[in-house]
């Protein structure tokens, strides 16, 4: 088999134009217009609003490619389109070979007959997804509810028609409450020309049938063959060693072979933080005479179950991996750019390494984006990040006509088959918040009242068909090893949002303006979403706004804040916890502290209550453009305060407190699989460093448990002490080598009421071969030490508290042009108290 990628010589134009311009494939119309200088950066200031004409036009792409006689000598030649966005007609040498209507699908066409020696022409016409959407919308005859995330008003669509649901295309392209509205078209994934003789392996599924002293496996191999006289052989090769050879007689046609094999002495794959991520190279080779085709996958051996069993609370909802219940620590992931082909290998590596470093073990691929690239899942396999995989449906009801349903079914089959070999996939979930919207946000009632009961039934029937029939059938047939969960949040029975069973999205903090403290009592069985917004740091804001825009209520800043209640809500919560920051930059920084503080309350509460709740996935890990949002990492990869806080709150050993009326209770959460002994030491110190009181207790930390190990009476703590001037510092100290295993600090008054001293913070910088070291020393308490430089790299720690008379070493990678002097000049260090002063 040979394969060439057709990524060269592309040009594009809109259908009414006659001039062709250079295009990049894979790419999008918007990014091509940008690189040709036709439009300005869509993310800059208000540009997005002036670019809404692009999605109303049809666009054409064409290329020429040369083939030799030898190229054409193969028996079969096919074109493989890995991703076309979205309504396209594909012409090869002026013959129509394909029409597409789903960006999530992979399309192939057998093209040998149409190809010729010499020059060949490929021409793709993309119809406007908005025009197509309006046609379908108008033909529908009734109104299907869609959330306000479809920003048809910004899109300047006629009569504000929300047309997103008619097109199988990433929902967030039409806008979201953290994203721009930029509805792309284009060749977003590679096009390949593939040729072969005799036979071709179309797909290999490496299935783990059972795991014990041996791993019993099957290779399900889909083959297309021309039929051969002689015998063919299939070899299964594991880590370069043949483990099975089978003779087969290939006949003409497409079929599946099932070859069982074994792996001796299996080494298990573990989620991040629990052990190694051992991956076996499994290569399947099909040989007929001198003709060979092969496909390889990297496979981890592990068991995974979603345990839903009746218990004293209701019904459990947790994952068991290799027989152990695992608390899922993680975040929700959205696509990393509104223009998908711009996301590089390095971007994937950075975001997923950041998740791994922050001690996460689960990522939820949310249903308003895309089924991610293979690279994404490979990295998750390697880094021990389990994936909660939504199908791509979010916050809307959907059409239910047979062509839509067939399209969805095909999309599901292709994506389940593409992703099922990835060890990281833990769960298939039907949709994001569609069930909630229908049952709890009033959509069912609204449709019944405003249209009719019959229309409501029709809309529900489409839901039932997709999420209770088509998708679970596909998961069962093509995977069969992971659970299917119809909707997040929800249970299969239409009852949602309960704390006793299923997963929950808790948004009363933020949307309901409830205090962060509510996270301590609203504890579900699995928290798959909760979140709070913050602003990105100044160096990110500088990339989309001018100094004259530096006010969160300016047009430009408001346009980069898409939550209808965003700015007001941040303002309101900020004043509950912090003093009003003196200026714009201080405001950005405090907004991050606020977010980190709030979500820390949630992360710790969920973990302390692991007897009830077995997952904490905050909303959201990353951004798709520079914006104020719930993310913990901004569009440029900068860690916000929340990302550093998550790293601490998700450590395997966590000390956390719970307040009752009279006492503070000290819990230790251990995600370790073995008991450990340690000393718990709690110190009460004032901001100048005087230790006022100290308590100690040797404890045995129970494996995979959260337990209260110590309680202090509030009167005892505060007797003769000023609560505005003290901090409790709790440490777990190893019995063997007196190393600190974990630590945490607790303040006894709201931050805004604390009387911070001038910290008397000093630092020196040391230059190393490829990084700088900043050695900080403080005499008095330094709250939320924030280091900034205009580097693209992140500091090893940031936004941290330094106790009085302590030293802290922070590192940052060097860029190619850095030297000590330039770094010194760019480094800026501030603490919370600097946001108070004029
Ligand atoms: C959630 C998500 C998104 C949204 C977020 C913030 O529930 O599923 O739809 O962006 O809330 O509002």
């Amino acid at each position: 088999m040979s394969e060439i990628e057709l990524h060269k010589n592309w040009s594009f134009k809109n259908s009414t134009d006659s001039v062709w311009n250079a295009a990049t494939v894979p790419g999008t119309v918007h990014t091509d217009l940008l690189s040709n200088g036709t439009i300005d950066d869509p993310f800059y200031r208000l540009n997005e609003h002036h670019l809404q004409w692009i999605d109303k036009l049809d666009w054409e792409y064409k290329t020429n490619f040369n083939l030799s006689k030898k190229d054409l000598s193969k028996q079969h030649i096919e074109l493989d389109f890995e991703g076309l966005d979205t309504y396209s007609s594909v012409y090869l040498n002026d013959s129509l070979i394909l029409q597409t209507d789903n960006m999530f699908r992979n399309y192939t066409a057998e093209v040998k007959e149409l190809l010729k020696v010499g020059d060949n022409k490929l021409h793709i016409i993309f119809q406007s997804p908005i025009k197509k959407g309006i046609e379908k919308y108008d033909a529908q005859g009734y109104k299907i509810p869609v959330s306000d995330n479809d920003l048809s008003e910004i899109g300047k669509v006629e009569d504000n028609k929300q047309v997103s649901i008619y097109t199988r295309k990433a929902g967030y392209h039409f806008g979201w409450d953290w994203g721009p509205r930029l509805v792309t078209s284009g060749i977003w994934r590679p096009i390949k020309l593939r040729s072969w003789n005799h036979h071709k392996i179309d797909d290999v599924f490496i299935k783990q049938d059972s795991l014990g002293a041996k791993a019993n496996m099957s290779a399900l191999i889909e083959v297309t063959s021309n039929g051969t006289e002689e015998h063919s052989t299939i070899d299964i090769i594991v880590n370069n060693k043949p483990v099975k050879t089978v003779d087969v007689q290939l006949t003409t046609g497409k079929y599946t072979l099932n070859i069982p094999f074994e792996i001796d002495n299996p080494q298990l794959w573990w989620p991040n933080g629990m052990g190694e991520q051992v991956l076996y190279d499994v290569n399947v080779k099909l040989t007929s005479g001198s003709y060979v085709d092969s496909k390889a996958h990297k496979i981890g051996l592990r068991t995974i179950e979603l345990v839903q069993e009746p218990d004293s609370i209701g019904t459990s909802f947790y994952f068991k991996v290799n027989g152990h219940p695992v608390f899922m620590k993680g975040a929700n992931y959205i696509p990393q750019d509104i223009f998908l082909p711009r996301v590089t290998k390095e971007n994937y590596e950075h975001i997923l390494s950041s998740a791994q470093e922050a001690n996460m073990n689960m990522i939820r691929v949310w249903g308003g984006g895309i089924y991610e690239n293979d690279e994404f899942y490979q990295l998750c396999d390697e880094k021990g990040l389990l994936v909660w995989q939504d199908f791509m449906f979010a916050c809307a009801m959907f059409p239910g006509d047979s062509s839509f349903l067939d399209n969805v079914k095909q999309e599901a089959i292709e994506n389940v088959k593409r992703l099922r070999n990835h060890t990281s996939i833990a769960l298939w979930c039907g949709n994001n918040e569609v069930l909630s919207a229908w049952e709890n946000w009033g959509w069912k009632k609204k449709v019944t009242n405003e249209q009719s009961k019959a229309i409501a039934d029709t809309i529900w029937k489409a839901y039932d068909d997709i999420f209770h029939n088509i998708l679970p059938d596909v998961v069962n047939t093509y995977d069969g090893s992971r659970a299917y969960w119809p909707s997040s949040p929800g249970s299969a029975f239409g009852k949602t949002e309960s704390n006793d069973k299923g997963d929950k999205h808790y948004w009363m903090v933020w949307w309901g303006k409830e205090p962060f403290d509510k996270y301590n009592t609203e504890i579900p069985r699995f928290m798959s979403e909760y979140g709070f917004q913050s602003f990105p740091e100044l160096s990110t804001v500088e990339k989309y706004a001018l100094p004259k825009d530096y006010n969160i209520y300016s047009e430009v800043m408001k346009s980069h804040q898409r939550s209808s209640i965003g700015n007001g809500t941040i303002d309101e919560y900020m004043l509950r916890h912090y003093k009003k920051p003196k200026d714009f930059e201080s405001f950005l920084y405090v907004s991050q502290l606020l977010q980190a503080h709030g979500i820390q309350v949630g992360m710790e509460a969920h973990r302390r209550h692991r007897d009830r709740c077995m997952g904490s996935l905050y909303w959201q890990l990353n951004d798709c453009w520079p914006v104020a949002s719930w993310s913990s990492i901004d569009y440029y990869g900068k860690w916000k305060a929340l990302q550093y806080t998550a790293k601490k709150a998700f450590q395997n050993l966590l000390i956390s407190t719970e307040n009752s009326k009279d006492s503070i209770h000290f819990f230790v959460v251990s995600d370790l699989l073995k008991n450990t002994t340690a000393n718990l030491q709690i110190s009460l110190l004032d901001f100048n460093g005087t230790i006022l009181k100290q308590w100690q207790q040797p404890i045995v930390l129970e494996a995979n448990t959260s337990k209260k190990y110590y309680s202090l009476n509030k009167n005892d703590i505060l007797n003769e002490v000023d609560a505005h001037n003290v901090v409790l510092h709790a440490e777990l100290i190893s019995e063997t080598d007196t190393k600190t295993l974990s630590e945490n600090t607790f303040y006894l008054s709201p931050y805004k009421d604390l009387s911070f001293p001038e910290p008397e913070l000093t630092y020196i910088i040391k230059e190393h071969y490829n990084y700088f070291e900043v050695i900080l020393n403080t005499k008095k308490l330094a709250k939320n030490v924030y280091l900034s430089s205009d580097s693209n790299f992140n500091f090893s720690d940031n936004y941290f508290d330094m106790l009085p008379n302590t030293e802290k070493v922070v590192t940052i990678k060097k860029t190619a042009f850095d030297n000590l002097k330039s770094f010194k000049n760019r480094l800026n260090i501030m603490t919370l108290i600097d946001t108070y002063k004029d």
Side-chain angles (χ1 to χ4, degrees):
M1 160 135 72
S2 66
E3 194 176 87
I4 46 171
E5 192 178 326
L6 301 181
H7 60 274
K8 291 190 196 140
N9 305 325
W10 285 93
S11 54
F12 82 117
K13 68 176 187 74
N14 83 53
S15 288
T16 58
D17 239 340
S18 51
V19 186
W20 293 84
N21 281 308
T24 303
V25 168
T28 69
V29 168
H30 291 74
T31 41
D32 285 331
L33 290 168
L34 179 64
S35 48
N36 279 287
T38 314
I39 62 170
D40 290 328
D41 176 8
F43 294 170
Y44 188 65
R45 301 193 80 229
L46 299 170
N47 285 350
E48 170 204 2
H49 302 272
H50 309 305
L51 300 175
Q52 297 302 323
W53 54 272
I54 298 169
D55 63 27
K56 316 289 181 303
L57 297 175
D58 298 344
W59 294 91
E60 303 188 21
Y61 279 76
K62 68 169 188 193
T63 188
N64 287 59
F65 56 97
N66 245 283
L67 293 178
S68 65
K69 209 166 165 184
K70 189 165 160 255
D71 293 329
L72 283 181
S73 66
K74 294 270 175 67
Q75 290 166 316
H76 294 272
I77 308 183
E78 67 181 19
L79 270 172
D80 183 0
F81 302 85
E82 292 184 5
L84 297 172
D85 173 15
T86 290
Y87 296 105
S88 77
S89 304
V90 182
Y91 297 85
L92 178 63
N93 293 330
D94 300 318
S95 297
L96 179 68
I97 56 164
L98 198 63
Q99 284 189 300
T100 73
D101 60 358
N102 188 332
M103 81 175 270
F104 305 125
R105 283 179 57 188
N106 179 111
Y107 295 89
T108 53
E110 179 75 54
V111 291
K112 183 168 160 87
E113 298 302 308
L114 293 171
L115 292 169
K116 47 188 201 246
V117 174
D119 198 34
N120 291 275
K121 187 172 103 188
L122 189 61
H123 180 194
I124 307 181
I125 302 174
F126 290 96
Q127 277 183 283
S128 151
I130 302 304
K131 281 198 300 197
K132 284 292 276 186
I134 290 173
E135 271 170 33
K136 294 184 180 193
Y137 180 104
D138 290 345
Q140 183 72 65
Y142 54 88
K143 210 169 164 285
I144 299 178
V146 181
S147 80
D148 290 339
N149 291 309
D150 179 333
L151 303 172
S152 54
E153 203 174 327
I154 291 182
K156 304 181 176 90
V157 184
E158 64 173 51
D159 304 327
N160 290 336
K161 290 173 183 167
Q162 293 180 302
V163 300
S164 54
I165 51 166
Y166 294 100
T167 302
R168 293 307 297 149
K169 171 170 173 58
Y172 82 112
H173 283 165
F174 297 84
W176 216 269
D177 57 2
W178 36 257
R181 170 150 178 134
L182 291 162
V183 188
T184 56
S185 282
I187 304 162
W188 77 286
R189 279 179 169 158
I191 301 177
K192 289 170 181 163
L193 186 75
R194 200 171 288 137
S195 48
W196 52 282
N197 288 325
H198 307 293
H199 64 241
K200 172 170 70 109
I201 299 180
D202 293 315
D203 190 75
V204 169
F205 179 23
I206 304 296
K207 210 169 174 215
Q208 175 190 294
D209 298 319
S210 68
L211 184 59
K214 279 183 177 167
N216 291 306
M217 315 287 293
S218 320
L220 299 172
I221 309 164
E222 287 179 25
V223 179
T224 308
S225 166
N226 292 337
T228 44
E229 293 297 305
E230 73 250 59
H231 264 36
S232 306
T233 39
I234 292 184
D235 292 295
I236 313 264
I237 301 149
V238 177
N239 289 349
N240 295 319
K241 282 197 207 96
V243 297
K244 182 101 176 209
T245 302
V246 190
D247 278 347
V248 287
Q249 180 71 53
L250 297 179
T251 49
T252 309
K254 269 184 183 289
Y255 42 92
T256 304
L257 303 161
N258 184 347
I259 315 283
F261 66 100
E262 290 172 355
I263 298 179
D264 288 331
N265 188 21
Q267 307 294 300
L268 299 185
W269 180 96
W270 290 96
N272 185 29
M274 296 181 75
E276 298 286 298
Q277 288 76 48
V278 179
L279 294 171
Y280 287 86
D281 264 309
V282 182
N283 190 6
V284 173
K285 210 167 97 185
L286 174 56
T287 314
S288 311
S290 63
Y291 191 73
V292 186
D293 193 17
S294 66
K295 258 199 180 11
H297 291 291
K298 284 190 187 302
I299 304 291
L301 304 174
R302 52 110 185 93
T303 59
I304 188 158
E305 309 159 61
L306 172 63
V307 182
Q308 294 190 77
E309 280 166 356
D311 59 16
S312 61
I313 300 167
T315 308
S316 69
F317 190 101
Y318 69 92
F319 293 89
K320 229 185 207 179
V321 182
N322 296 332
H324 298 278
V326 181
F327 186 99
M328 293 301 164
K329 300 176 280 196
N332 284 269
Y333 171 90
I334 61 166
Q336 292 181 59
D337 202 306
I338 194 77
F339 305 121
L340 287 158
R342 285 212 294 215
V343 183
T344 61
K345 243 192 159 71
E346 291 70 36
N347 296 146
Y348 281 115
E349 177 62 41
H350 177 64
I351 286 294
L352 295 170
S353 298
S354 297
Q356 182 191 34
E357 269 177 57
N359 297 308
M360 295 183 182
N361 56 14
M362 181 173 263
I363 296 292
R364 171 168 174 242
V365 176
W366 165 81
I370 57 164
Y371 307 91
E372 265 298 339
N373 289 359
D374 295 335
E375 251 165 4
F376 175 93
Y377 301 95
Q378 271 158 24
L379 289 168
C380 289
D381 294 345
E382 287 166 18
K383 295 177 188 300
L385 298 167
L386 288 163
V387 176
W388 171 309
Q389 178 68 48
D390 283 3
F391 285 91
M392 293 304 128
F393 299 89
C395 302
M397 303 305 289
F398 289 86
D401 56 276
S402 60
S403 84
F404 188 86
L405 297 182
D406 288 347
N407 199 359
V408 163
K409 181 172 177 180
Q410 208 44 48
E411 161 192 326
I413 292 173
E414 288 173 20
N415 284 288
V416 168
K417 284 175 73 174
R418 181 167 68 86
L419 303 184
R420 63 189 173 177
N421 284 308
H422 289 285
T423 311
S424 50
I425 300 275
L427 177 79
W428 301 101
C429 173
N431 66 66
N432 174 72
E433 295 183 349
V434 181
L435 184 62
S436 299
W438 187 249
E439 295 285 346
N440 303 341
W441 304 355
W443 288 8
K444 178 160 87 181
K445 258 200 205 113
K446 194 160 183 260
V447 172
T448 310
N449 294 343
E450 290 176 8
Q451 301 186 73
S452 71
K453 164 95 173 50
I455 290 174
D457 289 346
T458 307
I459 293 173
W460 178 252
K461 166 112 185 13
Y463 182 95
D464 200 42
D465 285 342
I466 298 172
F467 302 109
H468 297 156
N469 293 309
I470 295 172
L471 298 182
D473 278 356
V474 168
V475 167
N476 220 350
T477 310
Y478 294 91
D479 180 353
S481 68
R482 282 104 170 173
Y484 170 79
W485 183 242
S487 185
S488 178
S491 75
F493 312 104
K495 293 265 176 281
T496 60
E497 310 281 342
S498 120
N499 280 340
D500 301 340
K501 60 175 185 235
D503 68 322
K504 176 164 178 154
H505 296 184
Y506 179 68
W507 282 103
M508 289 308 283
V509 169
W510 182 260
W511 287 103
K513 307 271 167 72
E514 293 282 5
F516 291 136
D517 200 33
K518 271 273 178 174
Y519 288 138
N520 286 315
T521 48
E522 286 289 332
I523 312 266
R525 306 313 303 262
F526 192 105
M527 190 73 104
S528 42
E529 276 188 22
Y530 63 108
F532 196 89
Q533 278 200 351
S534 69
F535 281 82
E537 62 179 57
L538 187 64
S539 75
T540 292
V541 173
E542 276 170 349
K543 297 199 168 90
Y544 65 82
L546 291 170
K548 66 176 180 195
D549 307 318
Y550 289 178
N551 169 331
I552 60 165
Y553 294 99
S554 70
E555 281 310 301
V556 170
M557 290 301 289
K558 275 196 312 197
S559 191
H560 290 253
Q561 161 59 282
R562 287 301 166 83
S563 171
S564 53
I565 60 162
N567 286 344
T569 305
I570 293 175
D571 259 344
E572 186 182 324
Y573 276 81
M574 193 180 283
L575 295 179
R576 291 184 197 172
H577 295 272
Y578 294 90
K579 288 189 182 156
K580 195 176 162 62
K582 65 176 184 197
D583 58 17
F584 183 70
E585 186 176 3
S586 302
F587 178 88
L588 303 180
Y589 155 75
V590 177
S591 81
Q592 292 198 19
L593 303 183
L594 175 70
Q595 176 194 36
H597 165 68
I599 301 309
Q600 183 182 1
V601 174
M603 294 186 279
E604 292 195 7
H606 304 147
R607 292 192 64 194
R608 275 199 316 277
H609 290 272
R610 55 169 289 159
D611 52 343
R612 171 178 205 116
C613 173
M614 282 297 280
S616 184
L617 310 181
Y618 65 79
W619 183 267
Q620 72 206 62
L621 182 62
N622 60 316
D623 278 329
C624 69
W625 75 319
V627 67
S629 83
W630 296 265
S631 74
S632 57
I633 305 177
D634 78 18
Y635 175 71
Y636 296 103
K638 286 303 186 71
W639 283 28
K640 294 180 174 178
L642 173 57
Q643 185 69 20
Y644 292 97
T645 298
K647 179 174 175 174
K648 290 165 193 163
F650 283 159
Q651 287 176 91
N652 273 340
L653 288 178
L654 169 75
I655 313 178
S656 179
T657 57
E658 205 161 82
N659 275 290
S660 61
K661 198 167 143 270
D662 302 320
S663 305
I664 301 181
H665 306 286
F666 289 81
F667 284 69
V668 181
V669 185
S670 171
D671 289 347
L672 300 173
L673 296 182
K674 279 198 192 123
N675 288 357
T676 331
T677 52
N679 275 315
L680 176 66
Q681 177 176 298
I682 305 162
S683 314
L684 179 73
L685 34 146
D686 69 20
F687 293 166
N688 296 325
T690 311
I691 297 182
L692 305 170
K693 289 174 188 174
Q694 213 162 40
W695 300 267
Q696 286 218 26
Q697 168 110 340
I699 53 178
V700 179
L701 297 169
E702 270 176 47
N704 224 10
T705 305
S706 157
K707 211 173 131 179
K708 188 200 295 179
Y709 288 96
Y710 206 74
S711 296
L712 286 176
N713 187 296
K714 283 185 182 163
N715 284 336
D716 286 351
I717 305 174
L718 288 175
N719 187 19
E720 293 171 35
V721 161
D722 176 5
H724 304 111
N725 187 25
V726 290
V727 53
L728 272 174
H729 178 232
E731 262 182 298
L732 273 181
I733 301 167
S734 156
E735 282 201 318
T736 44
D737 57 7
T738 68
K739 270 218 313 245
T740 301
L741 302 173
S742 185
E743 62 182 322
N744 212 340
T745 47
F746 310 95
Y747 295 86
L748 303 169
S749 306
Y751 300 135
K752 64 175 177 185
D753 299 334
L754 295 176
S755 354
F756 296 122
E758 209 31 78
E760 299 179 42
L761 183 69
T762 55
Y763 64 92
I764 55 164
I765 304 171
K766 280 195 187 156
E767 187 176 11
H768 295 268
Y769 172 63
N770 55 2
Y771 67 98
F772 294 112
E773 211 176 31
V774 185
I775 303 162
L776 298 133
N777 273 282
T778 192
K779 281 224 171 97
K780 299 183 181 168
L781 178 88
K783 187 90 185 81
N784 301 114
V785 179
Y786 170 45
L787 294 87
S788 59
S789 76
D790 55 8
S791 164
N792 291 333
F793 296 120
N794 286 298
F795 287 94
S796 59
D797 199 358
N798 217 339
Y799 306 93
F800 47 83
D801 291 355
M802 282 177 74
L803 293 177
N805 303 314
T806 56
E807 179 175 284
K808 168 101 186 170
V809 180
V810 174
T811 60
I812 187 166
K813 274 197 208 149
K814 262 158 84 168
T815 61
F817 312 102
D818 261 339
N819 59 44
L820 189 60
K821 198 166 160 220
S822 68
F823 180 67
K824 245 185 198 148
N825 285 339
R826 290 184 336 223
L827 180 67
N828 187 36
I829 299 182
M830 65 189 275
T831 72
L832 185 57
I833 198 176
D834 296 314
T835 68
Y836 295 174
K837 299 175 282 197
D838 285 324

